[in-house]
Amino acid sequence: MADIIQLLPDAVANQIAAGEVIQRPASAVKELLENAIDAGADTISLVIKDAGKTLIQVNDNGSGMSETDARLSFERHATSKIKHAADLFNLNTKGFRGEALASIAAIAHAELKTRKEGNELGTRLIVEGSEVKEQEVCSTSIGTSFSIKNLFYNVPARRNFLKSNPVEVKHIIDEFQRVALVHADINFSMHNNGNEVLNLKKGSFRQRIVGIFGDKYNQKLVPIAEETDLVVIEGFASKPEFAKKTRGEQYFFVNDRFIKSNYLNHAVQNAFDQLLSKDQFPSYFLKLSIDPTKIDINIHPTKTEIKFEDERAIYAIIRTAVKQALGKFNIAPTLDFEQENSFNVPLKRENEPVKAPTIKVNPNYNPFETKTVASPKKPRTENWESLYNSFEKDTKDIVEHLEVEEHKEEQQVIATNWDDTEEEEQKALLQLHNKYILTQLKSGFLIVDQQRAHERILFEQYISHLALGKGVSQQLLFPETVDFTPADAELLNELAKEIETLGFNMDKVGRNGFIVNGVPAELTDQNIKKVMEGLLEQFKMNESELKLKKHENLAISMARSAAIKSGKKLSAEEMNKLVDELFACEMPYTLPNGKPTIVSLNVDDLNQQFDY
Ligand code: ADP
Ligand code: MG
């Protein structure tokens, strides 16, 4: 029988390799940014269109390439970064496989323009599906510019697997931030569909963090520094009071490379020990420098996981360093805290005229009137106790069908019968621990959780607004400008329609800012930035952990963020209103997640406790 093994043609081999290296536009972005850094650039710009599906362009002012190198750079295993096997154990560059450009060129239309310092002219190359289509001399600035068009044009399966533009943009922003964070000595900018997303000037690590995540980070960070023979650690962790409900900004960099490590993450979490509860996560930005011979970055094709020779020692050193920094900070916050005020973060785009915020005033607005806007669901009567009774009769069946086993008991207790003839007996409401509202019933008493009650009320209100497609907005007398992280701003763009339906009226300003002109009526006296951040935080958490539908998630998140909190003192009038509105709800007894909003105890139980 004839031999059947053949060598694959290069184009096919490259396409197969591309499957491993380039999973989505963000992977191509990462490779191109890293090449620019390896080329010694100190100014790098990224331009994307349609989430990188139509165009990814990276321009740098680095070393540039000769004509021959330009042509060779697209070959597989073509690299200038290692020569011998031994070099693999002493890497100082991001790239070393010589695979990225070959892979990208196999599945896209690529254009390269490059010029070396000292050369008058540069080289322009067009490569499509691994084939060089054009090569010519051209005039171009010193450095390199790669344009990648029509990514996956010849791999439809992969193209069809891409997520929506906002999701792919988020992946790109994530990669961009990882690279930009650890290279604070390089100017970076990013544009998406012609809009500037980020513009970061050279500076310190702290300035870079603040440049990306916002000014508020400046006071959140505790510096961390530790030097041992094995590893040098430098960076920041967030103060415990700024911990998040989602794993937000958690970054490890080893020798200037972003890595993921559950094990080392545990070391940081552990250092916070008693300072955080189980569902709180610190933010951190930690740079580790280690002798390259003591790590192996080779175990993963996209290189976000690495192997350490001495992982346990590194764990212990990180844990101690973070613990010490937190301790120091607790004892002497002012001494420990060097603040850098000269932030070089441009607040607006160059050449952009300064736009005065538009002020919309509602002439009917009376700041002394609490109910300026009618709530869509008015309590049916002022006497909630009779509501409670009739509600209990109407909906007993529904309640019992709620398959929330652990709460069944409470619901049955609530559903005990009582006599509602004595309506004249108006019950005073009593607030306990600024958290619960207590009231007497004929058969016992009722305890309402103020925060959960308000969450239920708002949830039903928001769900109905979203279903009807229109909510109630209260114009602000003084519109507020709120800045978000790029990822949150992107999420807001994605949710723009729904957010408006909830009652927000906002205009985009600058890169990641919004002018808030109007808010849902119940929010007028709240800290809007905090509510919106809480909303997005909750939304992200629900999205990743509960996989809720968009409307439900938004209504839950918004209700959670906007609700009256435990710890707030309420007036008698406020308590009455809250309980009234709760009993006007379709399902007053529980939160959407099944947790109870009300607990009732009857006199018989009490008598038993007292041994009557
Ligand atoms: P690797 O980065 O692993 O070496 P790549 O396929 O990413 O492989 O790049 C191949 C080679 O092309 C690099 O080794 C480098 O010599 C050259 N190169 C790529 N991008 C640039 C750039 N932006 N500036 C200068 N040279 C570059
Ligand atoms: Mg590379």
Side-chain angles (χ1 to χ4, degrees):
M1 200 175 158
D3 298 333
I4 52 171
I5 296 179
Q6 310 178 17
L7 284 175
L8 288 175
D10 275 355
V12 179
N14 287 342
Q15 225 186 71
I16 294 171
E20 239 192 299
V21 185
I22 310 296
Q23 281 114 8
R24 53 179 3 131
S27 344
V29 167
K30 172 176 182 269
E31 294 295 339
L32 295 177
L33 291 177
E34 289 189 345
N35 279 346
I37 292 168
D38 284 345
D42 79 343
T43 298
I44 300 174
S45 68
L46 166 68
V47 176
I48 57 169
K49 290 220 173 86
D50 296 326
K53 295 169 187 171
T54 319
L55 174 73
I56 298 169
Q57 186 180 68
V58 173
N59 309 303
D60 70 56
N61 64 349
S63 63
M65 283 180 266
S66 69
E67 198 183 331
T68 319
D69 283 349
R71 178 117 193 184
L72 260 178
S73 69
F74 288 103
E75 297 292 324
R76 204 142 71 99
H77 305 305
T79 179
S80 55
K81 299 170 193 175
I82 55 175
K83 293 202 168 65
H84 312 285
D87 297 343
L88 268 177
F89 304 104
N90 200 5
L91 279 170
N92 290 311
T93 54
K94 312 267 163 215
F96 59 89
R97 294 160 184 265
E99 244 171 13
L101 291 184
S103 297
I104 293 172
I107 50 163
H109 298 165
E111 179 185 359
L112 161 64
K113 283 197 215 167
T114 186
R115 175 157 76 96
K116 282 176 89 70
E117 200 177 345
N119 291 357
E120 245 165 62
L121 289 169
T123 306
R124 176 170 172 270
L125 259 176
I126 305 268
V127 184
E128 292 180 6
S130 295
E131 250 182 73
V132 178
K133 296 280 180 188
E134 277 178 43
Q135 175 164 1
E136 61 184 14
V137 173
C138 75
S139 66
T140 180
S141 44
I142 292 173
T144 302
S145 164
F146 274 103
S147 298
I148 310 300
K149 293 175 193 153
N150 308 324
L151 194 64
F152 300 128
Y153 80 99
N154 54 358
V155 199
R158 208 157 262 266
R159 199 176 169 90
N160 294 338
F161 257 109
L162 292 178
K163 299 277 185 332
S164 68
N165 281 5
V167 173
E168 294 299 339
V169 169
K170 181 167 182 322
H171 282 289
I172 292 173
I173 292 177
D174 283 349
E175 289 292 358
F176 184 87
Q177 287 179 345
R178 290 169 181 177
V179 171
L181 264 174
V182 76
H183 293 283
D185 53 346
I186 297 177
N187 302 308
F188 281 97
S189 68
M190 171 175 173
H191 285 80
N192 177 23
N193 291 336
N195 297 319
E196 190 175 72
V197 179
L198 278 164
N199 187 348
L200 305 162
K201 297 289 173 229
K202 282 186 197 187
S204 67
F205 189 26
R206 185 195 267 267
Q207 285 169 323
R208 184 51 53 95
I209 295 170
V210 172
I212 292 177
F213 297 108
D215 283 352
K216 58 180 188 222
Y217 260 83
N218 198 24
Q219 355 128 19
K220 291 187 182 180
L221 302 174
V222 181
I224 292 166
E226 182 70 67
E227 216 177 315
T228 69
D229 288 346
L230 181 60
V231 59
V232 178
I233 300 172
E234 186 211 332
F236 301 91
S238 61
K239 295 181 198 171
E241 66 262 36
F242 296 113
K244 297 201 157 200
K245 284 270 156 57
T246 46
R247 281 175 203 282
E249 282 75 68
Q250 301 192 327
Y251 294 89
F252 280 116
F253 303 96
V254 173
N255 297 352
D256 292 345
R257 204 188 276 277
F258 171 80
I259 63 140
K260 284 184 189 150
S261 167
N262 288 336
Y263 184 66
L264 297 188
N265 171 62
H266 190 266
V268 180
Q269 193 83 29
N270 196 295
F272 276 81
D273 206 17
Q274 309 291 321
L275 296 171
L276 298 179
S277 63
K278 265 206 199 95
D279 58 349
Q280 290 183 304
F281 302 97
S283 297
Y284 56 82
F285 310 85
L286 292 178
K287 293 203 251 186
L288 280 58
S289 308
I290 303 181
D291 175 353
T293 61
K294 302 221 180 299
I295 53 175
D296 179 2
I297 53 170
N298 216 351
I299 60 174
H300 197 273
T302 49
K303 296 172 285 190
T304 49
E305 282 146 31
I306 67 172
K307 253 193 339 227
F308 297 94
E309 198 178 276
D310 208 345
E311 201 173 42
R312 292 178 63 180
I314 292 172
Y315 180 102
I317 297 167
I318 290 180
R319 185 171 167 277
T320 315
V322 176
K323 237 185 149 99
Q324 270 174 2
L326 291 172
K328 235 202 283 178
F329 154 76
N330 273 339
I331 302 160
T334 43
L335 282 184
D336 191 50
F337 236 60
E338 121 268 15
Q339 298 252 340
E340 286 167 80
N341 291 319
S342 61
F343 285 102
N344 205 352
V345 186
L347 289 170
K348 60 183 255 334
R349 265 175 275 158
E350 272 167 47
N351 307 328
E352 184 191 54
V354 181
K355 186 177 154 211
T358 46
I359 298 182
K360 295 180 191 161
V361 179
N362 172 3
N364 299 321
Y365 175 69
N366 172 359
F368 301 106
E369 192 178 281
T370 43
K371 272 189 186 170
T372 42
V373 180
S375 112
K377 193 174 288 162
K378 290 272 278 190
R380 280 167 282 176
T381 153
E382 286 308 301
N383 186 341
W384 61 264
E385 220 185 307
S386 66
L387 268 177
Y388 181 34
N389 290 339
S390 62
F391 181 85
E392 175 267 312
K393 287 185 192 113
D394 292 349
T395 58
K396 194 164 171 232
D397 293 348
I398 307 173
V399 173
E400 283 177 351
H401 278 99
L402 262 186
E403 305 225 313
V404 189
E405 283 304 321
E406 50 196 308
H407 302 304
K408 241 186 172 155
E409 240 184 82
E410 284 148 357
Q411 282 154 1
Q412 274 162 4
V413 177
I414 291 170
T416 28
N417 277 329
W418 71 61
D419 196 347
D420 63 347
T421 46
E422 290 179 55
E423 272 190 9
E424 73 280 5
E425 224 184 293
Q426 261 299 341
K427 310 292 175 353
L429 299 171
L430 179 70
Q431 195 183 19
L432 300 174
H433 301 288
N434 291 340
K435 183 172 187 194
Y436 299 113
I437 300 168
L438 177 82
T439 185
Q440 188 188 324
L441 297 172
K442 194 166 175 7
S443 55
F445 52 89
L446 199 66
I447 305 168
V448 176
D449 182 312
Q450 66 186 45
Q451 178 170 341
R452 288 190 185 172
H454 200 208
E455 264 182 63
R456 163 52 72 180
I457 295 162
L458 292 176
F459 169 73
E460 293 198 1
Q461 196 171 309
Y462 295 142
I463 276 286
S464 96
H465 287 170
L466 288 166
L468 296 172
K470 71 180 210 284
V472 192
S473 183
Q474 172 74 59
Q475 296 298 310
L476 294 176
L477 271 178
F478 302 102
E480 223 177 273
T481 306
V482 186
D483 283 314
F484 294 92
T485 63
D488 278 355
E490 210 38 56
L491 181 60
L492 270 176
N493 282 336
E494 188 190 349
L495 298 173
K497 208 173 114 242
E498 288 81 4
I499 297 263
E500 199 185 320
T501 307
L502 287 175
F504 287 101
N505 173 350
M506 316 195 301
D507 295 321
K508 195 141 196 278
V509 278
R511 253 170 279 128
N512 303 306
F514 289 84
I515 290 190
V516 184
N517 304 302
V519 296
E522 64 284 351
L523 291 189
T524 37
D525 53 357
Q526 292 209 35
N527 179 334
I528 288 155
K529 184 170 161 66
K530 228 168 130 185
V531 171
M532 295 196 77
E533 281 172 356
L535 160 69
L536 296 174
E537 180 100 335
Q538 190 70 34
F539 186 88
K540 285 184 277 185
M541 190 167 84
N542 290 344
E543 199 175 36
S544 65
E545 285 169 21
L546 302 175
K547 311 254 179 300
L548 294 175
K549 290 206 194 86
K550 196 155 145 192
H551 278 189
E552 205 182 348
N553 186 356
L554 258 176
I556 290 178
S557 304
M558 182 63 194
R560 168 69 52 91
S561 187
I564 291 170
K565 299 291 179 297
S566 293
K568 184 172 194 289
K569 182 134 193 60
L570 301 179
S571 67
E573 195 191 332
E574 286 171 323
M575 286 192 274
N576 258 313
K577 182 165 174 268
L578 195 69
V579 179
D580 275 349
E581 290 185 354
L582 179 64
F583 285 106
C585 282
E586 269 172 45
M587 178 43 66
Y589 297 138
T590 58
L591 285 181
N593 65 10
K595 292 212 168 126
T597 52
I598 307 168
V599 166
S600 91
L601 292 171
N602 61 42
V603 181
D604 292 343
D605 295 338
L606 211 56
N607 289 342
Q608 230 169 28
Q609 295 279 322
F610 282 100
D611 200 16
Y612 277 109

